[in-house]
Structures are given as C-alpha cells and as structure tokens.
Amino acid sequence: MPFWFIPAITQSMAWSLQAPFLASCPSENPVVDWQIFPQLNATTIINSNGSTPEPAISTIGPSLSQPGQSLNLTWDNSGLSAGPNSTYNASSMAGEPKFAAWISQLNVTYTPLTNFSGNSALTIQPSGNVFQDILGNDTTPLINGTIFLLLTDDKPYVTPYNLSQLESHIVAGPVLYTVG
Ligand SMILES: *[C@@H]1O[C@H](CO)[C@@H](O)[C@H](O)[C@H]1NC(C)=O
Ligand SMILES: *[C@@H]1O[C@H](CO)[C@@H](O)[C@H](O)[C@H]1NC(C)=O
Ligand SMILES: *[C@@H]1O[C@H](CO)[C@@H](O)[C@H](O)[C@H]1NC(C)=O
Ligand SMILES: *[C@@H]1O[C@H](CO)[C@@H](O)[C@H](O)[C@H]1NC(C)=O
Ligand SMILES: *[C@@H]1O[C@H](CO)[C@@H](O)[C@H](O)[C@H]1NC(C)=O
Ligand SMILES: *[C@@H]1O[C@H](CO)[C@@H](O)[C@H](O)[C@H]1NC(C)=O
Ligand SMILES: *[C@@H]1O[C@H](CO)[C@@H](O)[C@H](O)[C@H]1NC(C)=O
Ligand SMILES: *[C@@H]1O[C@H](CO)[C@@H](O)[C@H](O)[C@H]1NC(C)=O
Ligand SMILES: *[C@@H]1O[C@H](CO)[C@@H](O)[C@H](O)[C@H]1NC(C)=O
Ligand SMILES: *[C@@H]1O[C@H](CO)[C@@H](O)[C@H](O)[C@H]1NC(C)=O
C-alpha cells in the first residue's frame, strides 16, 4: 500500500465516476439526485526532453508516471446528457478552468493549467511528501498509487473534513490517475 491515508471523495464525485458505466436504472429505483460533473480525461505526453512517457495506467511494472510528467487534460462542456437512461445532465457551476486538483492522502494539491487549446490543457504532476519526520527526512510521497484528478476554477484550501467545499469549483472530473 503506497498510502498512509485514504482520501474520501464526495458522493457527487463518486457518482460522476460511475455514471458513464450505467446504461439504465429500473424505474422503481428511488432517484437520489447527486450532481454529475463533466467528464475529464488525462493522457501522459512526451516530456520536453524527449523521454517517452510510461502508460498512465498499468497493473504491473515498477515505473508508472513520475513527478514532472506532463499531462494533457481534456474535458467535456457542462450540460451534456449523462448517467442511466441519459436522463441526467452533467453540470458544473464553476468558472473557467485554471487548476488541476490532485486529491491524495490528506489534502488537495493544485497545479496550474497551461497550453490551453479548446477543451484541453497541460499540467505537470507535482512532487511532495505527506510529512517530514522529526529529523527532517521526507516520508511517503504525497502523490503515489491511484489518485483522483479534477479540473477547478480556483484553489480553495480544503481538508478531508470539508472536501465538499471544492464542489462549486469543479469544472470536470474526477478521473482516476495512477502514479508511482
Ligand atoms: C510508490 O508506491 C509504490 C507501490 O505502489 C512503491 O513501490 C514505491 O516505492 C512508492 N514510491 C515511493 C517514492 O515511495
Ligand atoms: C430506463 O430504461 C430502461 C430500459 O429501457 C427502462 O426499463 C426503465 O424504466 C428506464 N428507467 C427510467 C427511470 O426511466
Ligand atoms: C526527462 O523529464 C522527465 C520529467 O521531467 C524526467 O523524469 C526524466 O528524468 C528526464 N530524462 C532525462 C534523460 O533527462
Ligand atoms: C492535448 O490533446 C488535445 C486533444 O487530443 C489536442 O487537441 C491538443 O493539441 C493536445 N495538447 C498538447 C499541448 O499536446
Ligand atoms: C475520454 O476518453 C473516452 C475514452 O477514450 C472517450 O470516449 C471520451 O470521449 C473522452 N472524453 C473527453 C472529454 O476527452
Ligand atoms: C438537460 O438539458 C436539456 C437541454 O438543455 C434540457 O431540456 C433538460 O431538461 C435537462 N435535463 C435535466 C434532467 O436537467
Ligand atoms: C498538502 O500537503 C503537502 C505536504 O504537507 C504540502 O506540501 C502541500 O502544500 C499541501 N497542499 C495544500 C493545498 O495544502
Ligand atoms: C507549452 O507552452 C510553452 C510556452 O508557450 C511552450 O514552450 C511549450 O513548448 C508548450 N508545450 C507543448 C507540449 O506544446
Ligand atoms: C534520515 O536520513 C539520514 C540520511 O539519509 C539517515 O541516515 C537517517 O537514518 C534518516 N533517519 C530516519 C529516522 O529515517
Ligand atoms: C476547510 O477547513 C479548513 C480547516 O478547518 C479551513 O482552514 C478551510 O478554510 C476550509 N475550506 C473552505 C473552503 O471552507
């Protein structure tokens, strides 16, 4: 386990991850109306020094995406139909996308978006550690294993106690992203 802390995500974030895989629901199911955020995709791109990126998702092998890796993020507009029976609309109340939000371990780390082109932009995978120990040595990486990546219009300080405060800032996502 590369994690010391497992982040919880909100019900609307979880529902947004599931929605593309649900074709229909029986009509007698009660409707619990969580928000579905627009879809986000993340693709590793070749680094500026020409090194070939590893695949973002893999089940074996030691080397996945590392800090400094450039990602190309692509996202849907708000308002597209989504979810079972396509009876919901993906929605976002946020403004223009400005940051990638990396939900992992105990907090949310933001990285700026650059190189905008239509509904795509680049960002760079951050580094960092959860704590420094009493001797100042770094502990387990902040971002390792499978994490949640979102697109936001701001970078509010949120903790595991008030992660839902991020929701009004979500432009798209989450998408699962594997690091390590
Ligand atoms: C990241 O997690 C993997 C296991 O998924 C582990 O083998 C690796 O050592 C971790 N990286 C660091 C820098 O601790
Ligand atoms: C969703 O579609 C299925 C299959 O067409 C149908 O049986 C079901 O009643 C629909 N559910 C709702 C909530 O409309
Ligand atoms: C190329 O850049 C990546 C990401 O910044 C880095 O991990 C890698 O070590 C670099 N490779 C070389 C040969 O400099
Ligand atoms: C990111 O991906 C989109 C969609 O494939 C593409 O149009 C855009 O040029 C890419 N951006 C960069 C900087 O590679
Ligand atoms: C995300 O990727 C999936 C699978 O390749 C594709 O069907 C979908 O259109 C993509 N969406 C965006 C917003 O890039
Ligand atoms: C989804 O958007 C369409 C077109 O704007 C609208 O007609 C429909 O009422 C919306 N559906 C929901 C569930 O909000
Ligand atoms: C998250 O925690 C890491 C390690 O303590 C820290 O470097 C980073 O600034 C924190 N991010 C935020 C948004 O508080
Ligand atoms: C992103 O933009 C910077 C600054 O304009 C440019 O130097 C760089 O080549 C661009 N990267 C890609 C992958 O297009
Ligand atoms: C801290 O790092 C130093 C230098 O690598 C090492 O000698 C020491 O054992 C580390 N201390 C702990 C508590 O890991
Ligand atoms: C979330 O909680 C932290 C800790 O109490 C607080 O500092 C922060 O302002 C809160 N964030 C928002 C957006 O309310």
Side-chain angles (χ1 to χ4, degrees):
M1 285 291 288
F3 311 112
W4 286 9
F5 303 95
I6 302 297
I9 56 170
T10 67
Q11 290 296 323
S12 289
M13 292 179 197
W15 181 225
S16 301
L17 282 169
Q18 284 176 43
F21 303 102
L22 300 178
S24 66
C25 280
S27 53
E28 62 270 25
N29 280 17
V31 174
V32 183
D33 211 359
W34 306 112
Q35 187 173 0
I36 299 177
F37 300 110
Q39 268 192 57
L40 175 67
N41 285 347
T43 312
T44 51
I45 68 165
I46 291 172
N47 290 305
S48 54
N49 63 18
S51 68
T52 309
E54 300 289 338
I57 303 288
S58 170
T59 50
I60 54 163
S63 178
L64 296 173
S65 178
Q66 301 293 334
Q69 171 69 56
S70 293
L71 300 188
N72 188 345
L73 304 174
T74 58
W75 61 94
D76 277 338
N77 287 326
S78 188
L80 299 186
S81 72
N85 298 50
S86 297
T87 45
Y88 301 84
N89 290 341
S91 66
S92 162
M93 291 167 285
E96 291 301 306
K98 293 199 182 77
F99 300 97
W102 307 70
I103 301 178
S104 176
Q105 305 265 12
L106 279 176
N107 72 7
V108 180
T109 304
Y110 299 95
T111 53
L113 301 178
T114 61
N115 301 69
F116 284 88
S117 167
N119 276 21
S120 77
L122 302 187
T123 200
I124 294 181
Q125 183 183 320
S127 56
N129 299 83
V130 175
F131 298 122
Q132 287 194 329
D133 67 19
I134 196 163
L135 297 175
N137 290 353
D138 285 339
T139 60
T140 192
L142 189 58
I143 292 173
N144 196 12
T146 301
I147 62 102
F148 300 97
L149 190 61
L150 296 129
L151 217 63
T152 61
D153 68 352
D154 199 3
K155 44 177 184 177
Y157 176 66
V158 288
T159 74
Y161 291 99
N162 62 2
L163 190 63
S164 61
Q165 297 291 319
L166 190 58
E167 290 193 331
S168 60
H169 297 287
I170 296 173
V171 177
V175 64
L176 292 174
Y177 186 67
T178 302
V179 169

